[in-house]
Amino acid sequence: MIPRIHAMGTRTIGLLHYLYGPGSHEEHIDPHLVAAWDSLAPDPGRDPDATYGDLQRLLDQPVIALPKSRRPVEHVWHLSVRAAPEDPLLTDEQWADIARRMVAAAGIAPDGDVAACRWAAVRHADDHIHIIATVVREDGRRARIRQDGKRSQAEARKIEIDYALRQLNAGDGTAARRPTSAERHKAEREGRERPAREELRETVRRAVAGAQSEEEFFARLAAAGVLIRRRVAPSGDLLGYKVALVDDRNAGKEPVFYAGSTLAPDLSLPRLRRRWSSDGAPRRAGEAPSDHGAESAPSGPATVRRSAATAAWEALLVIDQGNDVAVAAQIAAAGEVLDALAKTSAAHTRKDLREAAFAFERATRSHIRAVHGHDHALRQAARDLVRSGPALGRGEDGATTAMLIDMAYFLVTAAAHWHEKKNHAQQAAAALQAAEHLRAAYEAAAPMPLGVLYQRGRHLPQPLRQRHIAQLRQAVPELADRVLAEPGWYALAATLDDAESAGHEPAALLAAAAGRRELDTADSISDVLVWRLRRMADLPTASSPAMPPSGSNATSVHPASMPTALVKRPGSAPRQ
């Protein structure tokens, strides 16, 4: 149940025309009154003799009764209340009860107050109602509606319980603005996957990921094909920006622009500038980067993904041990990494990575303001991901993609648990949702590289495999039997063999990998250790001299040996 307080209005008749009219895109069906301050209030939707003017004059009567000097200019209060898509269809009587509870909670018409404001609830769709009220009471005083949004949200949580509806998490005012019903209907009618507002928010976030200046940001937006409108002061200073999709037009065939701040609070130009300034001296559009900001050509996708996995590991330690402002910065930067990863991912992981980034966006904002600078490594990782270009999803870059997704899963899950501890319910839920999409992306990315390692481990000579078993028992005696019983043991054996060939002492390296974080919550300890060892020892993840030749059945692996490193219990606290 989602209540939304709209901006105060000046014309009661104008809002009534909208509520009872066909809607911007003919989406209003059978508009009619479900409840009002007076059971005899006229209903222009169902009564052919009633007019909009009849209802308007009655609603405005307490306002008109005041001397002109005392009449508030903005006197029209407007609240919409929407059910969740999976909620059952509510009757008019149920919506009437909800309307009465909402106006009482908001302070428009408290229970038992005979001098309360006049109001009316109009239903013009199955899933929501609109409530219109005039804020002058019958006794001539103004209604006490401060914090009406917060109180209506609290009442909505009670209504969800009473009507067995989907129970939403309480918000904290940091969420991005939801698409309106008109925007959703328009998207459906035009066959869009998402409303224009959400599509633009995703596009802008991808343009932000790793960007270091206004010039780079706007260049990325232009390359993405969106229309850009800059707001410039008389002095010539850039004050803000708006964006629009080329094919999203209003009734006048003009592009529909959205300001960055209306897409999400952290996408306003001032907020973006604060983020960029953490990378050194802030640079405005047209300014050249300093020598300090000079960069070499980007590395290939595999190298960059390996570095990003290391940066994610370091961020994980901060989330475990850092102060709140540093943690908030790391979580915000993790969102940039997910945006960059989705932008550069191969086709078979792209959809799930895009959904993960879209879901995690909500987890990047809370009332704990991020102090940027703590997040340099992750933001540089996001930048490098974008500059290195798309991965092919096979060979070394496919394997390092799986490694990075594996680490990103644990990073966003750690973010979820931090939010839970801070009672950030919406952010925690968003992070866990992102983790589910990352798990799906991992399961698409990991079978080939782990399958190659599995086959190599199975074909190691018996004396060599026995030596690696002895190393395992020496390094982690308490976990050895469990690891040896896992199908993933063969991939771990191949990894220990690679580490030894690279000059590492396998037992010492394995002990260090196991001691970094606990392993009890992993469904497959061996799979987790494979990625830890290969990252710590900087081992190639897919190619090696011992890899079976192309065209062999190296990736024809028993299903039980597929990667299971990702914990399947969403409520648990997986560790990497």
Side-chain angles (χ1 to χ4, degrees), residues 82-107:
R82 182 178 301 278
E86 61 269 36
D87 285 340
L89 184 65
L90 300 175
T91 65
D92 280 356
E93 289 73 21
Q94 289 171 319
W95 277 118
D97 176 59
I98 290 169
R100 295 186 187 97
R101 292 177 62 167
M102 282 294 176
V103 294

Side-chain angles (χ1 to χ4, degrees), residues 205-505:
R205 285 185 63 84
R206 286 190 181 186
V208 169
Q212 293 184 319
S213 68
E214 290 174 22
E215 184 176 52
E216 182 179 6
F217 169 63
F218 286 117
R220 289 185 181 184
L221 282 180
V226 300
L227 302 177
I228 307 167
R229 182 178 290 170
R230 294 170 172 83
R231 184 163 63 91
V232 181
S235 63
D237 291 335
L238 182 62
L239 300 178
Y241 71 97
K242 294 182 178 180
V243 289
L245 299 176
V246 173
D247 58 350
D248 181 35
R249 305 275 168 160
N250 59 20
K253 305 301 181 183
E254 297 175 338
V256 180
F257 281 89
Y258 296 83
S261 59
T262 65
L263 294 176
D266 55 342
L267 296 181
S268 69
L269 188 59
R271 293 280 291 273
L272 293 178
R273 282 172 172 164
R274 283 200 292 271
R275 191 184 312 192
W276 294 324
S277 69
S278 70
D279 296 323
R283 300 197 300 273
R284 303 292 177 88
E287 293 181 359
S290 63
D291 291 339
H292 175 74
E295 295 178 290
S296 59
S299 301
T303 301
V304 166
R305 277 158 169 70
R306 185 183 295 275
S307 298
T310 298
W313 162 255
E314 294 168 353
L316 197 58
L317 296 180
V318 175
I319 293 176
D320 280 348
Q321 305 165 9
N323 59 50
D324 285 349
V325 296
V327 172
Q330 295 290 353
I331 292 175
E336 292 194 39
V337 170
L338 292 181
D339 286 321
L341 186 56
K343 184 175 181 177
T344 59
S345 60
H348 64 298
T349 57
R350 188 176 304 141
K351 182 178 185 299
D352 286 309
L353 289 173
R354 181 184 175 192
E355 293 294 337
F358 188 81
F360 193 71
E361 182 262 346
R362 179 66 188 98
T364 61
R365 291 186 307 273
S366 71
H367 283 301
I368 297 176
R369 182 65 62 85
V371 175
H372 296 290
H374 299 282
D375 54 358
H376 176 75
L378 272 185
R379 293 200 62 241
Q380 185 63 46
R383 179 172 178 77
D384 291 343
L385 283 168
V386 173
R387 296 178 74 237
S388 68
L392 299 176
R394 58 180 182 268
E396 183 67 7
D397 74 8
T400 51
T401 294
M403 176 189 287
L404 177 53
I405 294 172
D406 174 66
M407 179 55 71
Y409 175 89
F410 289 97
L411 180 60
V412 303
T413 307
H417 287 282
W418 180 81
H419 279 306
E420 285 176 352
K421 289 190 294 185
K422 299 298 177 182
N423 296 315
H424 302 160
Q426 288 189 351
Q427 291 88 338
L432 289 175
Q433 183 182 1
E436 290 302 306
H437 289 297
L438 285 171
R439 181 193 298 168
Y442 176 84
E443 290 171 352
M448 184 174 290
L450 286 185
V452 169
L453 292 172
Y454 172 89
Q455 290 291 353
R456 286 181 49 212
R458 283 191 64 184
H459 291 90
L460 286 174
Q462 186 65 21
L464 195 55
R465 202 157 60 225
Q466 288 299 324
R467 185 162 81 240
H468 294 321
I469 291 174
Q471 292 163 347
L472 175 70
R473 292 193 181 280
Q474 176 187 344
V476 284
E478 71 284 0
L479 298 174
D481 288 338
R482 178 177 167 185
V483 171
L484 291 170
E486 294 176 347
W489 153 246
Y490 292 108
L492 180 58
T495 297
L496 291 171
D497 196 55
D498 288 344
E500 192 170 57
S501 298
H504 296 280
E505 210 298 299

Side-chain angles (χ1 to χ4, degrees), residues 541-565:
T541 52
S543 59
S544 83
M547 190 172 124
S550 176
S552 74
N553 65 344
T555 60
S556 177
V557 189
H558 189 278
S561 70
M562 289 298 97
T564 54

Side-chain angles (χ1 to χ4, degrees), residues 6 12 27 34 51 79 218 289 349-350 401 526:
H6 299 260
T12 305
E27 71 273 19
V34 294
T51 67
L79 169 72
F218 286 117
T349 57
R350 188 176 304 141
T401 294
S526 51

